[in-house]
């Protein structure tokens, strides 16, 4: 929610003038507007308001007679936010009363706004209060991922999160319906069932008979289904091996490989074989050229790289075959297992190897990695201590703060109740961990306060700050580094460094996926249905490409710490073949690239650049059959400049009737006719030129010069006589309003980071963030750093 802007009073809206109040403000210092209100302001009220809102039967039970000084306004701020709203929107004075002279209402609103503005800048700092709120669906999924390590998203089955102030993480609207309580319990049980194997499965075993080993051939030498391998100069791979088979061995477990073999030789030296693990090229212990030279077999070259796990003498006879066994380490990335003959010494005759089968068993430990991680403990300790250690570690991370002794005691008691009933230790701990996942201390972001009634501002503790920071940038719980800094009391002084580190982490992509998509209002793109006859190129694949372009574009601004002004106009974007075709660009994917692959391209010399000319934005701000200058203009005012127009007055007729074909030429004419209505003129004078400046882009974002055979006129004139022609000049004007844009983005991001709407007392913090951002060349990391070091983010107060 944008904050009121007295200097831009003509752009203030009901959304900006939120009703706030609840305590008597500290008296402000003398301000010029206070004197002006006592004279001109009171005169305005007497002339235009008191006839309806006086002491005798006031309409709406609102009397304005007592408001004669600045102090009287500040005491009833809620009332005066509403007064500003209706005067700005033209609702008051009513049409039945004489209208104020031109500029009279604007001067009055500027005076009132100046009083509030001066108070907000000079009153004692107020960090506000954040409602204790539950994790939203994204935060729940991410927290479960980072806490437990399971690879699924249980919150996808939860009810949708409500949205407030444009975002789905606002505490005041995150309700807790009964059905969600049921889903919490089901999700917790499902998560822990996957994470901990109370009864581990037996290790899988895989066999491959000799007749099915590779290299495969109809002429492969066999003897009673035993594969025969020989040492033979000039022999092919089928004859000389090594014999092998495919075994995909994950990197998170140990396996045992066995080969059932026997050998024959007429020499004096025993036959030797080598067990090979075909693996990743960067695996430790990969065989060198010298190692490979000692082995026999034409297939060796094709199997590299591999690790020689073991060499062993084979003395087994036909009636007493030998089993050669080798452990397969967990870190090799094994793709195949093979058996090769070792070359005999000089002068020794060529041996023959017979392979009956190859066998792989594993993983030897079938417990999932999550099980081993969650229940890791010193096995030599008594059971009670192991239980306490495991649950203390888990609950501390789940609650995002050190677990209290009494909390831990209750969890240990839960676990022991299961073991006392005859269940395993693992089952008891699993039960206690399930209880943690349905605790309000996990489900809610709780910031405990030892002075809940204290009105003074004070810092959050380090663990609360760590949680705010991680859910702001990652939409998830703090990691070990944040926990460590909080434990040592060093997080506050390390905030700038942690911001840089966290923005470089892939988890920071949630700022794009969550914050940016909601800020830019791009979720409706998933359901957009442009007319198939008018826009046959639009399909689900193009829809996905539109969204991905914006995500990749914004992701680069975050990752590479670019200027946030690039959002308004940039010299690059990302396209795949479909988008390149839609945009008429020649620099799309080529040179053997997949058609759905995105590439970064330069936009110099084109009409595009920044989110305003991306198909995602242009499509969601259009109607199914045509563009909408009103929607596009309003979107610019709301999402980029933070100066949304008020809602349309009641009883204003629609712009057009259904079924009438509208071209760019007729649309502009009809809009001009619409603006002749005095109730519409003021707002449309701001919206319409911005929207018409984008008319070169059709309803799905393709560039055009004509519409319905009529040439498009993308020119416009903004209030103040600022003229432009086309999207390129329009973007230059918007970049020139970088302070407005920076303020808008700051307010949006601060709202998202705090999880509450902004109030009048946040203005000081917003001003400081915007000033700091400008000093640091508008870098994205500077914006985030300024926000996380601001008073509203770092501090708290009690109720008033």
């Amino acid at each position: 929610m944008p904050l009121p802007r007295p200097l831009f009073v003509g752009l203030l809206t009901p959304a900006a003038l939120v009703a706030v109040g609840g305590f008597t403000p500290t008296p402000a210092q003398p301000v010029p507007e206070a004197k002006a209100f006592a004279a001109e302001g009171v005169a305005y009220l007497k002339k235009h308001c008191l006839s309806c809102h006086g002491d005798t039967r006031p309409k709406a039970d609102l009397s304005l007679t007592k408001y004669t000084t600045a102090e009287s306004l500040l005491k009833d701020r809620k009332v005066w936010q509403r007064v500003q709203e209706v005067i700005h929107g033209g609702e008051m004075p009513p049409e039945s009363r004489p209208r104020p002279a031109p500029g009279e209402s604007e001067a009055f609103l500027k005076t009132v706004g100046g009083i509030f503005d001066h108070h907000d800048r000079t009153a004692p700092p107020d960090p506000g209060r954040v409602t204790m709120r539950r994790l939203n669906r994204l935060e729940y999924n991410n927290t479960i991922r980072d806490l437990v390590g399971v690879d699924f998203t249980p919150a996808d089955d939860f009810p949708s999160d409500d949205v407030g102030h444009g975002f789905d993480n606002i505490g005041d609207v995150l309700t807790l319906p009964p059905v969600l309580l049921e889903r919490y319990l089901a999700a917790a049980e499902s998560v822990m069932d996957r994470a901990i194997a109370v009864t581990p499965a037996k290790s899988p075993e895989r066999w491959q008979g000799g007749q099915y080993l590779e290299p495969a051939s109809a002429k492969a030498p066999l003897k009673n289904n035993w594969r025969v391998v020989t040492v033979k100069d000039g022999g092919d791979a089928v004859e000389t091996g090594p014999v092998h088979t495919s075994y995909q061995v994950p990197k998170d477990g140990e396996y045992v490989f066995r080969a059932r073999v026997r050998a024959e030789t007429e020499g004096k030296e025993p036959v030797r074989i080598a067990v090979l693990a075909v693996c990743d090229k960067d695996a430790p212990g990969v065989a060198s050229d010298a190692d490979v030279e000692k082995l026999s077999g034409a297939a060796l070259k094709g199997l590299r790289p591999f690790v020689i796990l073991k060499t062993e003498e084979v003395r087994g006879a036909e009636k007493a075959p030998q089993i050669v066994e080798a452990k397969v380490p967990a870190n090799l990335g094994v793709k195949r297992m093979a058996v090769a003959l070792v070359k005999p010494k000089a002068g020794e005759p060529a041996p023959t190897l017979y392979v009956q089968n190859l066998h792989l068993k594993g993983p030897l430990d079938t417990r999932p990695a999550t099980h081993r991680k969650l229940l890791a403990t010193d096995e030599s300790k008594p059971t009670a201590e192991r239980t306490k250690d495991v649950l203390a570690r888990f609950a501390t991370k789940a609650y995002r703060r050190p677990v209290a002794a009494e909390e831990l005691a209750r969890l240990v008691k839960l676990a022991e109740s299961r073991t006392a009933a005859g269940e395993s230790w693992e089952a008891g701990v699993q039960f206690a961990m399930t209880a943690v996942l349905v605790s309000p201390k996990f489900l809610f972001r709780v910031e405990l306060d030892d002075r809940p009634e204290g009105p003074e501002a004070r810092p959050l503790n380090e663990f609360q700050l760590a949680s705010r920071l991680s859910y702001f940038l990652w939409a998830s719980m703090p990691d070990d580094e944040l926990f460590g800094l909080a434990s040592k009391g060093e997080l506050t002084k390390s905030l700038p460094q942690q911001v840089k580190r966290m923005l470089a982490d892939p988890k920071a992509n949630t700022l794009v996926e969550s914050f940016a998509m909601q800020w830019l209002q791009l979720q409706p793109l998933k359901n957009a249905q442009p007319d198939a006859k008018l826009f046959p190129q639009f399909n689900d694949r193009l829809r996905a490409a539109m969204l991905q372009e914006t995500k990749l574009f914004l992701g680069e601004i975050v990752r590479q710490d670019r200027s946030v002004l690039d959002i308004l106009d940039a010299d690059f974007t990302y396209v795949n073949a479909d988008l390149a075709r839609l945009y008429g660009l020649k620099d799309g994917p080529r040179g053997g690239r997949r058609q759905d692959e995105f590439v970064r391209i330069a936009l110099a010399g084109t009409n595009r650049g920044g989110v305003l000319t991306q198909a995602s934005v242009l499509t969601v701000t259009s109607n199914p059959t045509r563009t909408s200058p009103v929607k596009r203009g309003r979107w610019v005012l709301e999402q980029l400049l933070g100066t949304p127009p008020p809602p349309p007055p009641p009883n204003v007729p629609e712009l057009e009737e259904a079924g009438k074909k509208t071209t760019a030429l007729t649309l502009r004419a009809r809009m001009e006719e619409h603006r002749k209505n005095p109730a519409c003129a003021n707002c449309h004078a701001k919206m319409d030129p911005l929207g018409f400046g984008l008319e070169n882009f059709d309803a799905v974002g393709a560039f055009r010069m004509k519409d319905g055979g009529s040439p498009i006129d993308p020119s416009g004139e903004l209030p103040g006589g600022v003229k432009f022609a086309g999207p390129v000049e329009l973007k230059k004007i918007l970049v020139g309003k970088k302070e407005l844009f920076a303020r808008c983005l700051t307010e949006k991001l601060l709202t998202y980071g705090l999880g509450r709407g902004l109030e009048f007392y946040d203005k000081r913090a917003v001003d400081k963030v915007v000033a700091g951002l400008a000093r640091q060349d508008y870098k994205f990391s500077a914006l985030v750093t300024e926000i996380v070091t601001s008073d509203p983010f770092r501090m708290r107060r009690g109720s008033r």
Side-chain angles (χ1 to χ4, degrees), residues 723-734:
K723 297 181 179 181
F724 64 90
V728 174
E729 293 184 12
L730 173 59
K731 286 189 297 178
K732 288 181 180 179
I733 292 174
L734 294 178

Side-chain angles (χ1 to χ4, degrees), residues 7-175:
L7 296 181
F8 299 92
V9 68
L11 299 175
L12 294 178
T13 71
L17 300 173
V18 62
V20 292
F23 68 94
T24 301
T26 302
Q29 297 299 315
V31 59
E33 285 82 357
K35 184 177 180 180
F37 181 80
E40 292 88 351
V42 172
Y44 181 95
L45 292 176
K46 290 179 179 179
K47 181 178 180 182
H48 298 291
C49 306
L50 296 187
S51 60
C52 295
H53 297 283
D55 289 332
T56 304
R57 300 177 65 183
K59 291 188 177 181
D61 293 324
L62 174 62
S63 172
L64 299 179
T65 57
K66 65 179 179 180
Y67 300 109
T68 58
T69 64
E71 289 76 12
S72 63
L73 268 63
L74 292 170
K75 290 179 180 179
D76 280 341
R77 187 153 189 166
K78 180 177 180 179
V79 169
W80 277 90
Q81 296 284 19
R82 178 60 180 163
V83 170
Q84 285 180 291
E85 175 186 331
V86 296
I87 292 177
H88 164 65
E91 299 177 46
M92 294 292 165
E95 293 184 6
S96 59
R97 305 291 300 176
R99 306 302 296 171
E104 192 175 359
S105 291
E106 285 77 4
F108 176 76
L109 289 173
K110 184 176 181 180
T111 296
V112 174
I115 291 171
F116 289 134
D117 181 60
H118 182 268
H119 172 268
D120 296 344
R121 295 175 189 275
T122 59
D126 183 353
R129 285 174 57 83
V130 176
T131 301
M132 185 179 78
R133 61 192 183 279
R134 64 170 173 83
L135 303 178
N136 67 17
R137 297 201 303 173
L138 174 66
E139 292 167 340
Y140 184 95
N141 280 336
N142 289 351
T143 304
I144 288 292
R145 176 200 66 201
D146 295 338
L147 174 65
V148 182
V150 292
D151 58 352
F152 78 118
T153 51
D156 291 354
D157 194 38
F158 293 176
S160 297
D161 296 312
D162 291 327
V163 175
H165 304 285
F167 300 103
D168 62 5
N169 67 342
I170 304 300
D172 289 340
V173 301
L174 286 174
T175 56

Side-chain angles (χ1 to χ4, degrees), residues 586-643:
K586 299 179 180 179
D587 296 332
R590 55 187 175 182
R593 294 179 182 270
R594 299 194 319 270
Q595 292 299 290
D596 61 345
E597 182 178 354
F598 279 79
V599 296
R600 188 183 192 276
I601 62 168
L603 293 176
T606 73
N607 288 305
R608 298 190 187 267
V611 297
L612 196 54
T613 60
Q614 291 178 1
S616 58
V617 171
L618 294 166
T619 301
V620 298
T621 54
S622 295
N623 294 324
T625 59
R626 63 165 178 83
T627 60
S628 174
V630 174
K631 287 183 179 180
R632 288 178 174 179
R634 184 183 183 94
W635 187 91
V636 172
L637 291 175
E638 286 183 343
Q639 310 312 131
L640 299 184
L641 300 181
T643 55

Side-chain angles (χ1 to χ4, degrees), residues 125-127 451-458 796-800:
D126 183 353
R451 289 171 285 170
E453 303 299 325
E456 70 280 0
R458 53 196 180 275
R796 68 183 309 163
R797 64 163 167 84
S799 60
R800 289 177 170 175

